[in-house]
mmCIF file of all heavy atoms in Angstrom:
data_model
loop_
_atom_site.group_PDB
_atom_site.id
_atom_site.type_symbol
_atom_site.label_atom_id
_atom_site.label_comp_id
_atom_site.label_asym_id
_atom_site.label_seq_id
_atom_site.Cartn_x
_atom_site.Cartn_y
_atom_site.Cartn_z
ATOM 1 N N LEU A 316 3.571 -5.046 -15.564
ATOM 2 C CA LEU A 316 2.191 -4.633 -15.736
ATOM 3 C C LEU A 316 2.044 -3.507 -16.688
ATOM 4 O O LEU A 316 1.231 -3.597 -17.682
ATOM 5 C CB LEU A 316 1.620 -4.248 -14.336
ATOM 6 C CG LEU A 316 0.206 -3.668 -14.341
ATOM 7 C CD1 LEU A 316 -0.822 -4.731 -14.924
ATOM 8 C CD2 LEU A 316 -0.241 -3.262 -12.948
ATOM 9 N N PHE A 317 2.730 -2.438 -16.523
ATOM 10 C CA PHE A 317 2.574 -1.277 -17.361
ATOM 11 C C PHE A 317 3.273 -1.503 -18.775
ATOM 12 O O PHE A 317 2.967 -0.754 -19.682
ATOM 13 C CB PHE A 317 3.156 -0.013 -16.698
ATOM 14 C CG PHE A 317 2.423 0.380 -15.442
ATOM 15 C CD1 PHE A 317 2.917 1.344 -14.588
ATOM 16 C CD2 PHE A 317 1.197 -0.142 -15.171
ATOM 17 C CE1 PHE A 317 2.250 1.719 -13.435
ATOM 18 C CE2 PHE A 317 0.452 0.187 -14.017
ATOM 19 C CZ PHE A 317 0.994 1.165 -13.143
ATOM 20 N N GLY A 318 4.117 -2.505 -18.823
ATOM 21 C CA GLY A 318 4.700 -2.858 -20.172
ATOM 22 C C GLY A 318 3.779 -3.820 -20.915
ATOM 23 O O GLY A 318 4.107 -4.203 -22.060
ATOM 24 N N GLY A 319 2.629 -4.188 -20.365
ATOM 25 C CA GLY A 319 1.628 -4.969 -21.143
ATOM 26 C C GLY A 319 1.849 -6.465 -21.077
ATOM 27 O O GLY A 319 1.243 -7.162 -21.851
ATOM 28 N N ARG A 320 2.723 -6.971 -20.137
ATOM 29 C CA ARG A 320 3.021 -8.281 -20.117
ATOM 30 C C ARG A 320 2.074 -9.181 -19.210
ATOM 31 O O ARG A 320 2.139 -10.381 -19.300
ATOM 32 C CB ARG A 320 4.406 -8.576 -19.681
ATOM 33 C CG ARG A 320 5.502 -8.098 -20.664
ATOM 34 C CD ARG A 320 6.892 -8.660 -20.425
ATOM 35 N NE ARG A 320 7.529 -8.000 -19.333
ATOM 36 C CZ ARG A 320 7.994 -8.558 -18.294
ATOM 37 N NH1 ARG A 320 7.797 -9.827 -18.035
ATOM 38 N NH2 ARG A 320 8.579 -7.849 -17.302
ATOM 39 N N LEU A 321 1.332 -8.520 -18.323
ATOM 40 C CA LEU A 321 0.421 -9.211 -17.429
ATOM 41 C C LEU A 321 -1.045 -9.147 -17.855
ATOM 42 O O LEU A 321 -1.767 -10.119 -17.692
ATOM 43 C CB LEU A 321 0.598 -8.709 -16.015
ATOM 44 C CG LEU A 321 1.987 -8.908 -15.369
ATOM 45 C CD1 LEU A 321 2.009 -8.312 -13.969
ATOM 46 C CD2 LEU A 321 2.375 -10.303 -15.384
ATOM 47 N N VAL A 322 -1.410 -8.017 -18.360
ATOM 48 C CA VAL A 322 -2.816 -7.857 -18.937
ATOM 49 C C VAL A 322 -2.607 -7.062 -20.183
ATOM 50 O O VAL A 322 -1.678 -6.285 -20.462
ATOM 51 C CB VAL A 322 -3.774 -7.167 -17.978
ATOM 52 C CG1 VAL A 322 -3.987 -7.969 -16.661
ATOM 53 C CG2 VAL A 322 -3.332 -5.744 -17.686
ATOM 54 N N GLY A 323 -3.619 -7.220 -21.066
ATOM 55 C CA GLY A 323 -3.592 -6.403 -22.341
ATOM 56 C C GLY A 323 -3.878 -4.964 -22.169
ATOM 57 O O GLY A 323 -4.265 -4.482 -21.051
ATOM 58 N N ARG A 324 -3.580 -4.176 -23.202
ATOM 59 C CA ARG A 324 -3.719 -2.736 -23.118
ATOM 60 C C ARG A 324 -5.099 -2.282 -22.751
ATOM 61 O O ARG A 324 -5.303 -1.262 -22.108
ATOM 62 C CB ARG A 324 -3.256 -2.074 -24.403
ATOM 63 C CG ARG A 324 -1.789 -2.275 -24.697
ATOM 64 C CD ARG A 324 -0.944 -1.461 -23.721
ATOM 65 N NE ARG A 324 0.462 -1.669 -23.875
ATOM 66 C CZ ARG A 324 1.430 -1.246 -23.107
ATOM 67 N NH1 ARG A 324 1.092 -0.514 -22.043
ATOM 68 N NH2 ARG A 324 2.714 -1.465 -23.350
ATOM 69 N N ASP A 325 -6.121 -3.016 -23.264
ATOM 70 C CA ASP A 325 -7.453 -2.621 -22.971
ATOM 71 C C ASP A 325 -7.797 -2.767 -21.516
ATOM 72 O O ASP A 325 -8.401 -1.854 -20.899
ATOM 73 C CB ASP A 325 -8.419 -3.476 -23.812
ATOM 74 C CG ASP A 325 -8.270 -4.940 -23.645
ATOM 75 O OD1 ASP A 325 -7.161 -5.410 -23.226
ATOM 76 O OD2 ASP A 325 -9.237 -5.719 -23.968
ATOM 77 N N LEU A 326 -7.393 -3.854 -20.911
ATOM 78 C CA LEU A 326 -7.593 -4.054 -19.488
ATOM 79 C C LEU A 326 -6.737 -3.099 -18.621
ATOM 80 O O LEU A 326 -7.176 -2.658 -17.530
ATOM 81 C CB LEU A 326 -7.392 -5.510 -19.104
ATOM 82 C CG LEU A 326 -8.426 -6.442 -19.667
ATOM 83 C CD1 LEU A 326 -7.993 -7.929 -19.394
ATOM 84 C CD2 LEU A 326 -9.808 -6.249 -19.156
ATOM 85 N N LEU A 327 -5.510 -2.847 -19.068
ATOM 86 C CA LEU A 327 -4.654 -1.929 -18.358
ATOM 87 C C LEU A 327 -5.288 -0.535 -18.352
ATOM 88 O O LEU A 327 -5.221 0.152 -17.336
ATOM 89 C CB LEU A 327 -3.230 -1.943 -18.999
ATOM 90 C CG LEU A 327 -2.251 -1.021 -18.342
ATOM 91 C CD1 LEU A 327 -2.043 -1.319 -16.906
ATOM 92 C CD2 LEU A 327 -0.905 -1.073 -19.045
ATOM 93 N N THR A 328 -5.907 -0.149 -19.407
ATOM 94 C CA THR A 328 -6.573 1.141 -19.467
ATOM 95 C C THR A 328 -7.738 1.167 -18.455
ATOM 96 O O THR A 328 -7.906 2.156 -17.743
ATOM 97 C CB THR A 328 -7.185 1.380 -20.941
ATOM 98 O OG1 THR A 328 -6.093 1.482 -21.768
ATOM 99 C CG2 THR A 328 -7.967 2.675 -20.893
ATOM 100 N N LEU A 329 -8.425 0.083 -18.304
ATOM 101 C CA LEU A 329 -9.494 -0.005 -17.269
ATOM 102 C C LEU A 329 -8.909 0.096 -15.868
ATOM 103 O O LEU A 329 -9.537 0.758 -14.977
ATOM 104 C CB LEU A 329 -10.265 -1.290 -17.414
ATOM 105 C CG LEU A 329 -11.229 -1.414 -18.652
ATOM 106 C CD1 LEU A 329 -11.875 -2.764 -18.670
ATOM 107 C CD2 LEU A 329 -12.231 -0.268 -18.716
ATOM 108 N N MET A 330 -7.763 -0.542 -15.646
ATOM 109 C CA MET A 330 -7.122 -0.480 -14.299
ATOM 110 C C MET A 330 -6.806 0.971 -13.963
ATOM 111 O O MET A 330 -6.798 1.311 -12.760
ATOM 112 C CB MET A 330 -5.849 -1.314 -14.301
ATOM 113 C CG MET A 330 -6.084 -2.860 -14.377
ATOM 114 S SD MET A 330 -4.542 -3.781 -14.176
ATOM 115 C CE MET A 330 -4.370 -3.703 -12.340
ATOM 116 N N ARG A 331 -6.467 1.790 -14.960
ATOM 117 C CA ARG A 331 -6.076 3.164 -14.698
ATOM 118 C C ARG A 331 -7.173 4.154 -14.987
ATOM 119 O O ARG A 331 -6.960 5.331 -15.043
ATOM 120 C CB ARG A 331 -4.832 3.488 -15.452
ATOM 121 C CG ARG A 331 -3.603 2.677 -14.975
ATOM 122 C CD ARG A 331 -2.287 3.215 -15.542
ATOM 123 N NE ARG A 331 -2.104 2.915 -16.932
ATOM 124 C CZ ARG A 331 -0.925 2.745 -17.528
ATOM 125 N NH1 ARG A 331 0.223 2.824 -16.786
ATOM 126 N NH2 ARG A 331 -0.802 2.463 -18.771
ATOM 127 N N THR A 332 -8.422 3.633 -15.093
ATOM 128 C CA THR A 332 -9.642 4.491 -15.199
ATOM 129 C C THR A 332 -10.186 4.613 -13.764
ATOM 130 O O THR A 332 -10.833 3.657 -13.302
ATOM 131 C CB THR A 332 -10.587 3.970 -16.232
ATOM 132 O OG1 THR A 332 -9.968 3.831 -17.497
ATOM 133 C CG2 THR A 332 -11.808 4.860 -16.321
ATOM 134 N N GLY A 333 -9.926 5.747 -13.118
ATOM 135 C CA GLY A 333 -10.230 5.765 -11.694
ATOM 136 C C GLY A 333 -11.507 6.504 -11.320
ATOM 137 O O GLY A 333 -11.970 7.449 -12.087
ATOM 138 N N VAL A 334 -12.065 6.177 -10.215
ATOM 139 C CA VAL A 334 -13.149 6.940 -9.580
ATOM 140 C C VAL A 334 -12.482 7.945 -8.636
ATOM 141 O O VAL A 334 -11.417 7.713 -8.103
ATOM 142 C CB VAL A 334 -14.171 6.041 -8.830
ATOM 143 C CG1 VAL A 334 -14.862 5.104 -9.849
ATOM 144 C CG2 VAL A 334 -13.459 5.204 -7.718
ATOM 145 N N ALA A 335 -13.168 9.044 -8.356
ATOM 146 C CA ALA A 335 -12.670 10.094 -7.491
ATOM 147 C C ALA A 335 -12.623 9.609 -6.021
ATOM 148 O O ALA A 335 -13.498 8.851 -5.595
ATOM 149 C CB ALA A 335 -13.484 11.392 -7.616
ATOM 150 N N THR A 336 -11.556 10.005 -5.362
ATOM 151 C CA THR A 336 -11.395 9.630 -3.908
ATOM 152 C C THR A 336 -11.444 10.914 -3.037
ATOM 153 O O THR A 336 -11.138 12.027 -3.563
ATOM 154 C CB THR A 336 -10.113 8.860 -3.623
ATOM 155 O OG1 THR A 336 -9.036 9.812 -3.607
ATOM 156 C CG2 THR A 336 -9.863 7.825 -4.763
ATOM 157 N N PRO A 337 -11.754 10.783 -1.806
ATOM 158 C CA PRO A 337 -11.653 11.902 -0.882
ATOM 159 C C PRO A 337 -10.279 12.420 -0.600
ATOM 160 O O PRO A 337 -10.079 13.531 0.041
ATOM 161 C CB PRO A 337 -12.315 11.383 0.401
ATOM 162 C CG PRO A 337 -12.985 10.105 0.097
ATOM 163 C CD PRO A 337 -12.241 9.575 -1.027
ATOM 164 N N GLN A 338 -9.246 11.757 -1.030
ATOM 165 C CA GLN A 338 -7.884 12.080 -0.816
ATOM 166 C C GLN A 338 -7.236 12.951 -1.897
ATOM 167 O O GLN A 338 -6.072 13.304 -1.870
ATOM 168 C CB GLN A 338 -6.975 10.881 -0.585
ATOM 169 C CG GLN A 338 -7.299 10.101 0.665
ATOM 170 C CD GLN A 338 -8.527 9.279 0.496
ATOM 171 O OE1 GLN A 338 -8.705 8.596 -0.458
ATOM 172 N NE2 GLN A 338 -9.365 9.225 1.532
ATOM 173 N N ALA A 339 -8.079 13.451 -2.811
ATOM 174 C CA ALA A 339 -7.569 14.369 -3.891
ATOM 175 C C ALA A 339 -7.158 15.671 -3.199
ATOM 176 O O ALA A 339 -7.797 16.132 -2.185
ATOM 177 C CB ALA A 339 -8.641 14.599 -4.891
ATOM 178 N N PRO A 340 -6.146 16.397 -3.700
ATOM 179 C CA PRO A 340 -5.445 16.093 -5.005
ATOM 180 C C PRO A 340 -4.164 15.220 -4.771
ATOM 181 O O PRO A 340 -3.467 14.947 -5.728
ATOM 182 C CB PRO A 340 -4.976 17.538 -5.421
ATOM 183 C CG PRO A 340 -4.701 18.219 -4.077
ATOM 184 C CD PRO A 340 -5.806 17.724 -3.115
ATOM 185 N N ILE A 341 -3.904 14.764 -3.488
ATOM 186 C CA ILE A 341 -2.688 13.956 -3.360
ATOM 187 C C ILE A 341 -2.855 12.543 -3.899
ATOM 188 O O ILE A 341 -2.025 12.053 -4.614
ATOM 189 C CB ILE A 341 -2.322 13.909 -1.859
ATOM 190 C CG1 ILE A 341 -2.074 15.374 -1.347
ATOM 191 C CG2 ILE A 341 -1.089 13.057 -1.636
ATOM 192 C CD1 ILE A 341 -1.736 15.440 0.117
ATOM 193 N N PHE A 342 -3.951 11.884 -3.595
ATOM 194 C CA PHE A 342 -4.276 10.585 -4.189
ATOM 195 C C PHE A 342 -5.648 10.714 -4.790
ATOM 196 O O PHE A 342 -6.656 10.361 -4.183
ATOM 197 C CB PHE A 342 -4.236 9.530 -3.124
ATOM 198 C CG PHE A 342 -2.888 9.331 -2.525
ATOM 199 C CD1 PHE A 342 -2.548 9.866 -1.253
ATOM 200 C CD2 PHE A 342 -1.934 8.526 -3.191
ATOM 201 C CE1 PHE A 342 -1.306 9.720 -0.764
ATOM 202 C CE2 PHE A 342 -0.658 8.341 -2.581
ATOM 203 C CZ PHE A 342 -0.353 8.911 -1.367
ATOM 204 N N PRO A 343 -5.734 11.255 -6.043
ATOM 205 C CA PRO A 343 -7.033 11.666 -6.566
ATOM 206 C C PRO A 343 -7.910 10.563 -7.022
ATOM 207 O O PRO A 343 -9.149 10.725 -7.068
ATOM 208 C CB PRO A 343 -6.648 12.575 -7.724
ATOM 209 C CG PRO A 343 -5.282 12.167 -8.129
ATOM 210 C CD PRO A 343 -4.592 11.647 -6.905
ATOM 211 N N ARG A 344 -7.347 9.408 -7.562
ATOM 212 C CA ARG A 344 -8.265 8.465 -8.193
ATOM 213 C C ARG A 344 -7.841 7.048 -7.818
ATOM 214 O O ARG A 344 -6.664 6.761 -7.581
ATOM 215 C CB ARG A 344 -8.130 8.564 -9.775
ATOM 216 C CG ARG A 344 -8.686 9.886 -10.287
ATOM 217 C CD ARG A 344 -8.796 9.937 -11.791
ATOM 218 N NE ARG A 344 -7.471 9.906 -12.439
ATOM 219 C CZ ARG A 344 -7.244 9.555 -13.676
ATOM 220 N NH1 ARG A 344 -8.278 9.097 -14.425
ATOM 221 N NH2 ARG A 344 -6.048 9.534 -14.246
ATOM 222 N N TYR A 345 -8.852 6.136 -7.837
ATOM 223 C CA TYR A 345 -8.608 4.737 -7.660
ATOM 224 C C TYR A 345 -9.263 3.991 -8.792
ATOM 225 O O TYR A 345 -10.504 4.143 -9.067
ATOM 226 C CB TYR A 345 -9.189 4.251 -6.328
ATOM 227 C CG TYR A 345 -8.650 2.910 -5.879
ATOM 228 C CD1 TYR A 345 -7.688 2.831 -4.935
ATOM 229 C CD2 TYR A 345 -9.137 1.715 -6.407
ATOM 230 C CE1 TYR A 345 -7.110 1.616 -4.540
ATOM 231 C CE2 TYR A 345 -8.633 0.478 -6.042
ATOM 232 C CZ TYR A 345 -7.605 0.441 -5.093
ATOM 233 O OH TYR A 345 -7.085 -0.791 -4.723
ATOM 234 N N GLY A 346 -8.522 3.136 -9.453
ATOM 235 C CA GLY A 346 -9.025 2.374 -10.597
ATOM 236 C C GLY A 346 -9.403 0.904 -10.184
ATOM 237 O O GLY A 346 -9.884 0.706 -9.095
ATOM 238 N N LEU A 347 -8.998 -0.032 -11.034
ATOM 239 C CA LEU A 347 -9.254 -1.395 -10.696
ATOM 240 C C LEU A 347 -8.021 -2.006 -10.054
ATOM 241 O O LEU A 347 -7.129 -2.591 -10.710
ATOM 242 C CB LEU A 347 -9.597 -2.192 -11.956
ATOM 243 C CG LEU A 347 -10.802 -1.698 -12.773
ATOM 244 C CD1 LEU A 347 -11.141 -2.630 -13.917
ATOM 245 C CD2 LEU A 347 -12.025 -1.480 -11.923
ATOM 246 N N GLY A 348 -7.878 -1.746 -8.776
ATOM 247 C CA GLY A 348 -6.723 -2.258 -8.000
ATOM 248 C C GLY A 348 -5.479 -1.366 -8.073
ATOM 249 O O GLY A 348 -4.465 -1.680 -7.475
ATOM 250 N N LEU A 349 -5.543 -0.231 -8.755
ATOM 251 C CA LEU A 349 -4.466 0.744 -8.791
ATOM 252 C C LEU A 349 -4.981 2.063 -8.302
ATOM 253 O O LEU A 349 -6.169 2.391 -8.394
ATOM 254 C CB LEU A 349 -3.992 0.893 -10.169
ATOM 255 C CG LEU A 349 -3.234 -0.253 -10.895
ATOM 256 C CD1 LEU A 349 -2.908 0.078 -12.330
ATOM 257 C CD2 LEU A 349 -1.928 -0.586 -10.102
ATOM 258 N N GLU A 350 -4.096 2.854 -7.682
ATOM 259 C CA GLU A 350 -4.411 4.230 -7.268
ATOM 260 C C GLU A 350 -3.382 5.185 -7.868
ATOM 261 O O GLU A 350 -2.262 4.848 -8.226
ATOM 262 C CB GLU A 350 -4.468 4.410 -5.769
ATOM 263 C CG GLU A 350 -3.157 4.176 -5.065
ATOM 264 C CD GLU A 350 -3.324 4.378 -3.569
ATOM 265 O OE1 GLU A 350 -3.759 5.414 -3.091
ATOM 266 O OE2 GLU A 350 -2.897 3.461 -2.779
ATOM 267 N N SER A 351 -3.803 6.431 -8.033
ATOM 268 C CA SER A 351 -2.914 7.450 -8.609
ATOM 269 C C SER A 351 -2.434 8.381 -7.534
ATOM 270 O O SER A 351 -3.162 8.606 -6.535
ATOM 271 C CB SER A 351 -3.631 8.263 -9.681
ATOM 272 O OG SER A 351 -4.611 9.078 -9.183
ATOM 273 N N VAL A 352 -1.227 8.910 -7.730
ATOM 274 C CA VAL A 352 -0.687 9.948 -6.868
ATOM 275 C C VAL A 352 -0.537 11.208 -7.711
ATOM 276 O O VAL A 352 0.001 11.099 -8.827
ATOM 277 C CB VAL A 352 0.670 9.559 -6.214
ATOM 278 C CG1 VAL A 352 1.694 9.203 -7.201
ATOM 279 C CG2 VAL A 352 1.150 10.618 -5.254
ATOM 280 N N GLY A 353 -1.028 12.311 -7.215
ATOM 281 C CA GLY A 353 -0.963 13.570 -7.976
ATOM 282 C C GLY A 353 0.348 14.318 -7.692
ATOM 283 O O GLY A 353 0.462 15.014 -6.615
ATOM 284 N N LEU A 354 1.354 14.189 -8.538
ATOM 285 C CA LEU A 354 2.566 14.848 -8.360
ATOM 286 C C LEU A 354 2.626 16.177 -9.087
ATOM 287 O O LEU A 354 1.707 16.510 -9.948
ATOM 288 C CB LEU A 354 3.774 13.934 -8.749
ATOM 289 C CG LEU A 354 3.811 12.590 -8.044
ATOM 290 C CD1 LEU A 354 4.945 11.799 -8.534
ATOM 291 C CD2 LEU A 354 3.882 12.816 -6.504
ATOM 292 N N THR A 355 3.682 16.935 -8.929
ATOM 293 C CA THR A 355 3.770 18.277 -9.563
ATOM 294 C C THR A 355 3.867 18.183 -11.080
ATOM 295 O O THR A 355 3.586 19.135 -11.819
ATOM 296 C CB THR A 355 4.904 19.071 -9.026
ATOM 297 O OG1 THR A 355 6.126 18.396 -9.213
ATOM 298 C CG2 THR A 355 4.681 19.331 -7.522
#
Side-chain angles (χ1 to χ4, degrees):
L316 176 58
F317 294 168
R320 291 195 285 120
L321 296 181
V322 298
R324 293 294 176 183
D325 54 340
L326 292 174
L327 181 57
T328 297
L329 290 179
M330 291 187 77
R331 294 191 287 208
T332 301
V334 297
T336 79
Q338 290 79 43
I341 300 176
F342 296 97
R344 294 189 293 161
Y345 197 100
L347 304 186
L349 294 174
E350 64 180 306
S351 69
V352 59
L354 302 179
T355 60

